Amino acid sequence: MSKQRSLQQYMLPAAVIMLFTAMLFFPSQVLRGASFGLLLWFNTVLPTLFPFILICNLLISTSAIDMLLHFISPLFCRFFRVSPYGAFAVLAGFLCGYPMGAKVTADLYRQDMIGKDETAYLLAFCNNTSPMFILSFLVMQNLKDDRLKLPVLGILTLSPVIISFLHPAGKVRAQASPPGTVPFRSKKMPFSDALDFSVSNALDSIAKVGAYIMMFAVFTELFLMLPLGGSTFCLLLAASLEVTNGITMLCGSSLSRTSVFILCLAETSFGGLCAAAQTASMIRGTGIPVSSYLLKKLATALVASLLACLYLSLAGL
């Protein structure tokens, strides 16, 4: 046991030193990866994600969220077995993309609007790729088949919904308010304070997302230099680092079209290790282990793969 602990104690420092050495010896690859990550963040992530972070912060900090929940909570509370405020996390997680579901859930927990059991339940299924990313980047730019829009969107939406029903929610249901009943909050920020907080928090969050995207883009460049051969396993390892790079690599590989379709849907539903790192940053301090989140995302990827196989079988493709 002591030898095992000693080995684990030295593994992380050794890995960091190896990474530092690789970055010193291969600066051009580091520059290429960092540049790609920066451009991806600046051109795509910043203009699409920052406004959603800002408006979600404003909603949570003001009474606007209570008004919104009067419309969405009756359906969401019954279907997903959540509280009214948990319904907002579901809405953000399915529409806004990584890591908004995790951020909104963690913010609601920190403001005592949902409990810890509900926080863990929501993180199991409401942190997903946005429909805009699925339709434009995955289907249009990479799979390049307009006929796949509805099937792909349906599969990637249904997969986390299935996971939500497989996750035990007994304690969540017991703690939740009756469907359609929005709890009254006596403490609300003045709008000027809420706006200032929302902007500061959004800038901090989007900067973290950008740093993780750049970091994992560098990891991908260095990983592709390893003499691992051109096996499918190595391709999957590289693709699992970051979802945008991963989808591009899968679609540019020599795998069959059916294999690419299944793997792309699995990769998109999983989100990649970069999205997992972003999520870990957003939920820090909630007491929810990121390992639990990763297991649920792997289960979601498995469900998406099975649904993709079923679709291909029924469609005769």
Side-chain angles (χ1 to χ4, degrees):
M1 183 66 71
S2 60
K3 290 183 178 180
Q4 185 178 2
R5 287 180 180 176
S6 177
L7 181 63
Q8 292 176 347
Q9 182 180 359
Y10 289 106
M11 282 179 64
L12 181 59
V16 174
I17 292 172
M18 289 174 61
L19 177 63
F20 175 69
T21 305
M23 292 176 69
L24 288 178
F25 278 95
F26 304 103
S28 60
Q29 285 77 8
V30 173
L31 177 62
R32 184 164 60 243
S35 299
F36 174 82
L38 179 61
L39 289 174
L40 174 64
W41 174 80
F42 184 78
N43 292 325
T44 304
V45 178
L46 177 62
T48 57
L49 190 59
F50 180 80
F52 284 107
I53 298 177
L54 180 60
I55 195 63
C56 285
N57 285 341
L58 272 176
L59 284 167
I60 293 173
S61 302
T62 65
S63 58
I65 189 174
D66 300 329
M67 185 179 299
L68 175 64
L69 291 178
H70 279 295
F71 297 99
I72 68 170
S73 63
L75 175 62
F76 280 59
C77 291
R78 288 188 175 91
F79 190 79
F80 289 104
R81 303 165 295 169
V82 294
S83 68
Y85 291 125
F88 178 65
V90 175
L91 181 69
F94 276 89
L95 294 182
C96 301
Y98 293 112
M100 280 304 299
K103 184 187 184 306
V104 169
T105 300
D107 287 345
L108 291 170
Y109 173 72
R110 293 188 186 101
Q111 297 196 32
D112 295 322
M113 298 166 77
I114 58 175
K116 189 169 184 178
D117 291 322
E118 186 171 8
T119 302
Y121 170 62
L122 288 167
L123 287 173
F125 71 96
C126 75
N127 193 39
N128 305 298
T129 312
S130 70
M132 184 185 301
F133 179 91
I134 293 170
L135 295 175
S136 62
F137 183 78
L138 175 58
V139 178
M140 299 296 293
Q141 295 183 38
N142 287 278
L143 295 178
K144 297 179 180 179
D145 190 343
D146 287 355
R147 297 172 300 174
L148 295 176
K149 283 183 178 179
L150 288 180
V152 168
L153 186 61
I155 290 171
L156 293 177
T157 302
L158 183 59
S159 299
V161 172
I162 292 174
I163 293 298
S164 75
F165 283 99
L166 296 177
H167 191 284
K171 292 182 179 179
V172 176
R173 180 182 290 174
Q175 295 172 359
S177 304
T181 303
V182 180
F184 174 76
R185 287 185 299 149
S186 57
K187 295 182 179 179
K188 298 184 179 70
M189 287 188 189
F191 182 78
S192 58
D193 293 344
L195 181 61
D196 184 67
F197 166 79
S198 299
V199 171
S200 300
N201 181 271
L203 287 172
D204 179 66
S205 299
I206 202 68
K208 287 182 179 179
V209 170
Y212 279 113
I213 290 174
M214 289 179 62
M215 182 174 67
F216 275 86
V218 171
F219 290 168
T220 302
E221 286 291 333
L222 294 176
F223 181 87
L224 292 174
M225 294 184 61
L226 296 176
L228 300 175
S231 67
T232 303
F233 179 71
C234 295
L235 173 65
L236 294 179
L237 281 179
S240 67
L241 292 175
E242 200 274 324
V243 65
T244 308
N245 260 326
I247 291 172
T248 303
M249 284 189 285
L250 288 170
C251 291
S253 69
S254 58
L255 296 173
S256 66
R257 185 169 176 79
T258 56
S259 297
V260 167
F261 178 78
I262 295 169
L263 291 173
C264 279
L265 265 65
E267 167 72 11
T268 306
S269 59
F270 174 61
L273 294 177
C274 180
Q278 296 170 31
T279 299
S281 173
M282 298 300 167
I283 66 174
R284 193 175 306 280
T286 62
I288 308 297
V290 72
S291 57
S292 174
Y293 167 80
L294 278 172
L295 287 174
K296 299 302 189 304
K297 295 308 291 183
L298 288 172
T300 307
L302 176 60
V303 171
S305 302
L306 295 175
L307 290 176
C309 292
L310 178 62
Y311 167 73
L312 291 175
S313 176
L314 293 175
L317 300 176

